[in-house]
Amino acid sequence: MHDLCSKYYNLVGERVFYYLLTGKTYKEIAQEYYYCDLNKFIYQVRRLREQLFLKNRRQLAYFAVVNELVNLDRIFDECI
């Protein structure tokens, strides 16, 4: 998917992208994956948004898909 020279190589496999693309709310994601620690997940999303100069979580999810930072087949398998 990505070569080692990609400027986004360090973001490949970032779990936050997968969680955002499931379509769940912050609260649902925190309950399922972070043991009810909502602040931890929100902090990770905010950190990624600021790092990439994006305004909201939709832009972050779109960025991940467009730059092929996530495997869409994996997401579709989990949602079905």
Side-chain angles (χ1 to χ4, degrees):
M1 187 175 350
H2 275 281
D3 61 351
L4 293 175
C5 298
S6 172
K7 64 181 179 177
Y8 302 121
Y9 180 75
N10 62 336
L11 297 175
V12 174
E14 182 72 50
R15 296 179 315 168
V16 173
F17 293 131
Y18 288 101
Y19 299 152
L20 290 176
L21 290 171
T22 60
K24 296 178 180 177
T25 65
Y26 284 138
K27 186 175 182 179
E28 292 170 338
I29 293 169
Q31 287 175 342
E32 189 169 336
Y33 302 106
Y34 285 91
Y35 307 105
C36 298
D37 192 356
L38 181 61
N39 292 330
K40 182 177 178 182
F41 181 70
I42 291 174
Y43 170 77
Q44 288 183 324
V45 171
R46 186 178 299 136
R47 182 180 52 85
L48 277 173
R49 278 192 6 242
E50 290 172 356
Q51 197 176 25
L52 299 170
F53 304 104
L54 301 171
K55 292 183 180 183
N56 56 41
R57 70 183 265 183
R58 283 186 182 154
Q59 287 182 351
L60 187 60
Y62 180 76
F63 175 86
V65 171
V66 168
N67 290 291
E68 298 177 359
L69 299 176
V70 294
N71 182 353
L72 291 178
D73 294 332
R74 178 178 164 193
I75 293 167
F76 292 134
D77 290 342
E78 288 180 10
C79 291
I80 295 176

